[in-house]
Amino acid sequence: MKKIEMTEIIMAAKASKGLSWEEIASAADMSPVFITSCCLGMNSTPPEAAKKLCDFLELDASVATALEAFPTKIWDQAVPTDPMVYRLYEVVGVYGETLKEVVQEKFGDGIMSAIDFTMEVEKKENPKGDRVVITMDGKFLKYNAW
């Protein structure tokens, strides 16, 4: 089974059962952000979590196998057109160089890992309109000199 087929099956099960990503993640004992990424085919799921997720959604073992498979991460577009995803690109476009400068001033010459990494998405209520709080926590990887 290809990742795209796996995603379609998971999304259909999620919709038919009226579940949230929080509920699915809880059943799999994983972070909602990470398990959603796995279900969308962008990360591989640990075997135990894949089994729990498939048991919870009442899905075939072939879905668990696809969840566990290592993904090939390919984007179809240089800049996405979905407004939410596009705005994240906009944030990086506007603040990317600023973040690079501030991180390197604090840590030195290096990068933030997206492998040794966690991310949380929270809702912060605000009378002027609810706020989206995205917290990214990545290990700093210093560039070597030789």
Side-chain angles (χ1 to χ4, degrees):
M1 173 181 299
K2 294 185 184 279
K3 290 277 188 183
I4 189 72
E5 297 167 293
M6 170 206 75
T7 297
E8 290 170 353
I9 291 167
I10 291 170
M11 295 300 283
K14 178 184 179 290
S16 73
K17 295 177 183 301
L19 296 169
S20 69
W21 288 116
E22 292 276 344
E23 292 167 317
I24 293 169
S26 179
D29 292 324
M30 300 292 292
S31 150
V33 172
F34 185 75
I35 205 68
T36 302
S37 178
C38 292
C39 290
L40 296 176
M42 295 305 285
N43 278 297
S44 61
T45 311
E48 185 176 313
K51 181 178 179 349
K52 288 178 181 179
L53 185 147
C54 288
D55 287 348
F56 181 67
L57 294 178
E58 300 174 356
L59 300 175
D60 189 272
S62 62
V63 176
T65 300
L67 278 164
E68 294 171 34
F70 302 146
T72 299
K73 300 176 184 186
I74 299 174
W75 291 268
D76 293 333
Q77 305 172 60
V79 178
T81 56
D82 177 82
M84 177 65 202
V85 178
Y86 172 79
R87 292 295 179 218
L88 292 173
Y89 272 69
E90 182 181 34
V91 168
V92 172
V94 172
Y95 293 102
E97 292 295 319
T98 300
L99 289 168
K100 179 183 185 303
E101 286 292 323
V102 172
V103 167
Q104 289 183 334
E105 185 173 277
K106 291 179 184 254
F107 292 88
D109 190 18
I111 60 172
M112 180 179 75
S113 173
I115 295 171
D116 189 348
F117 177 87
T118 61
M119 182 168 34
E120 300 295 326
V121 178
E122 302 295 327
K123 178 180 179 180
K124 181 177 162 185
E125 297 197 9
N126 185 307
K128 295 180 183 177
D130 292 344
R131 313 288 292 180
V132 177
V133 179
I134 301 173
T135 305
M136 295 185 288
D137 183 336
K139 179 181 179 181
F140 181 74
L141 303 172
K142 186 168 181 57
Y143 284 115
N144 291 330
W146 64 97

